[in-house]
PDB file of all heavy atoms in Angstrom:
ATOM      1  N   SER M 304      18.854 -98.479 -66.030  1.00  0.00           N
ATOM      2  CA  SER M 304      20.021 -98.751 -65.182  1.00  0.00           C
ATOM      3  C   SER M 304      21.239 -98.065 -65.758  1.00  0.00           C
ATOM      4  O   SER M 304      21.376 -97.939 -66.977  1.00  0.00           O
ATOM      5  CB  SER M 304      20.253-100.267 -65.111  1.00  0.00           C
ATOM      6  OG  SER M 304      21.499-100.559 -64.518  1.00  0.00           O
ATOM      7  N   LEU M 305      22.136 -97.619 -64.877  1.00  0.00           N
ATOM      8  CA  LEU M 305      23.417 -97.090 -65.344  1.00  0.00           C
ATOM      9  C   LEU M 305      24.386 -98.208 -65.689  1.00  0.00           C
ATOM     10  O   LEU M 305      25.277 -98.033 -66.503  1.00  0.00           O
ATOM     11  CB  LEU M 305      24.039 -96.188 -64.270  1.00  0.00           C
ATOM     12  CG  LEU M 305      23.327 -94.873 -63.971  1.00  0.00           C
ATOM     13  CD1 LEU M 305      24.106 -94.092 -62.912  1.00  0.00           C
ATOM     14  CD2 LEU M 305      23.144 -94.034 -65.221  1.00  0.00           C
ATOM     15  N   GLU M 306      24.219 -99.363 -65.038  1.00  0.00           N
ATOM     16  CA  GLU M 306      25.066-100.511 -65.343  1.00  0.00           C
ATOM     17  C   GLU M 306      24.607-101.147 -66.650  1.00  0.00           C
ATOM     18  O   GLU M 306      23.445-101.045 -67.038  1.00  0.00           O
ATOM     19  CB  GLU M 306      24.980-101.560 -64.229  1.00  0.00           C
ATOM     20  CG  GLU M 306      25.558-101.121 -62.907  1.00  0.00           C
ATOM     21  CD  GLU M 306      25.440-102.205 -61.857  1.00  0.00           C
ATOM     22  OE1 GLU M 306      26.374-103.019 -61.754  1.00  0.00           O
ATOM     23  OE2 GLU M 306      24.417-102.248 -61.155  1.00  0.00           O
ATOM     24  N   CYS M 307      25.518-101.847 -67.282  1.00  0.00           N
ATOM     25  CA  CYS M 307      25.163-102.612 -68.477  1.00  0.00           C
ATOM     26  C   CYS M 307      25.038-104.080 -68.086  1.00  0.00           C
ATOM     27  O   CYS M 307      24.056-104.466 -67.491  1.00  0.00           O
ATOM     28  CB  CYS M 307      26.196-102.374 -69.578  1.00  0.00           C
ATOM     29  SG  CYS M 307      26.169-100.671 -70.197  1.00  0.00           S
ATOM     30  N   SER M 308      26.035-104.898 -68.373  1.00  0.00           N
ATOM     31  CA  SER M 308      25.924-106.316 -68.051  1.00  0.00           C
ATOM     32  C   SER M 308      25.774-106.526 -66.548  1.00  0.00           C
ATOM     33  O   SER M 308      26.513-105.951 -65.753  1.00  0.00           O
ATOM     34  CB  SER M 308      27.164-107.067 -68.546  1.00  0.00           C
ATOM     35  OG  SER M 308      27.257-106.986 -69.945  1.00  0.00           O
ATOM     36  N   ARG M 309      24.783-107.361 -66.178  1.00  0.00           N
ATOM     37  CA  ARG M 309      24.571-107.734 -64.780  1.00  0.00           C
ATOM     38  C   ARG M 309      24.184-109.203 -64.729  1.00  0.00           C
ATOM     39  O   ARG M 309      23.450-109.696 -65.583  1.00  0.00           O
ATOM     40  CB  ARG M 309      23.466-106.897 -64.130  1.00  0.00           C
ATOM     41  CG  ARG M 309      23.832-105.461 -63.857  1.00  0.00           C
ATOM     42  CD  ARG M 309      22.741-104.746 -63.084  1.00  0.00           C
ATOM     43  NE  ARG M 309      21.480-104.776 -63.806  1.00  0.00           N
ATOM     44  CZ  ARG M 309      20.440-105.526 -63.470  1.00  0.00           C
ATOM     45  NH1 ARG M 309      20.509-106.320 -62.416  1.00  0.00           N
ATOM     46  NH2 ARG M 309      19.327-105.496 -64.179  1.00  0.00           N
ATOM     47  N   ALA M 310      24.642-109.888 -63.728  1.00  0.00           N
ATOM     48  CA  ALA M 310      24.395-111.321 -63.623  1.00  0.00           C
ATOM     49  C   ALA M 310      22.927-111.618 -63.342  1.00  0.00           C
ATOM     50  O   ALA M 310      22.387-111.204 -62.308  1.00  0.00           O
ATOM     51  CB  ALA M 310      25.262-111.928 -62.523  1.00  0.00           C
ATOM     52  N   GLY M 311      22.289-112.351 -64.240  1.00  0.00           N
ATOM     53  CA  GLY M 311      20.930-112.808 -63.986  1.00  0.00           C
ATOM     54  C   GLY M 311      20.863-113.761 -62.813  1.00  0.00           C
ATOM     55  O   GLY M 311      19.809-113.940 -62.197  1.00  0.00           O
ATOM     56  N   ALA M 312      22.002-114.377 -62.499  1.00  0.00           N
ATOM     57  CA  ALA M 312      22.043-115.314 -61.373  1.00  0.00           C
ATOM     58  C   ALA M 312      21.685-114.627 -60.061  1.00  0.00           C
ATOM     59  O   ALA M 312      21.096-115.249 -59.165  1.00  0.00           O
ATOM     60  CB  ALA M 312      23.431-115.948 -61.276  1.00  0.00           C
ATOM     61  N   SER M 313      22.001-113.346 -59.916  1.00  0.00           N
ATOM     62  CA  SER M 313      21.646-112.625 -58.687  1.00  0.00           C
ATOM     63  C   SER M 313      20.138-112.530 -58.529  1.00  0.00           C
ATOM     64  O   SER M 313      19.602-112.710 -57.435  1.00  0.00           O
ATOM     65  CB  SER M 313      22.260-111.219 -58.704  1.00  0.00           C
ATOM     66  OG  SER M 313      23.660-111.276 -58.646  1.00  0.00           O
ATOM     67  N   ALA M 314      19.448-112.245 -59.629  1.00  0.00           N
ATOM     68  CA  ALA M 314      17.989-112.168 -59.592  1.00  0.00           C
ATOM     69  C   ALA M 314      17.385-113.535 -59.297  1.00  0.00           C
ATOM     70  O   ALA M 314      16.422-113.653 -58.531  1.00  0.00           O
ATOM     71  CB  ALA M 314      17.458-111.630 -60.915  1.00  0.00           C
ATOM     72  N   ALA M 315      17.956-114.576 -59.910  1.00  0.00           N
ATOM     73  CA  ALA M 315      17.448-115.930 -59.690  1.00  0.00           C
ATOM     74  C   ALA M 315      17.578-116.327 -58.227  1.00  0.00           C
ATOM     75  O   ALA M 315      16.656-116.906 -57.634  1.00  0.00           O
ATOM     76  CB  ALA M 315      18.212-116.918 -60.569  1.00  0.00           C
TER      77      ALA M 315
END
Side-chain angles (χ1 to χ4, degrees):
S304 169
L305 292 182
E306 293 180 90
C307 293
S308 297
R309 288 186 301 107
S313 294

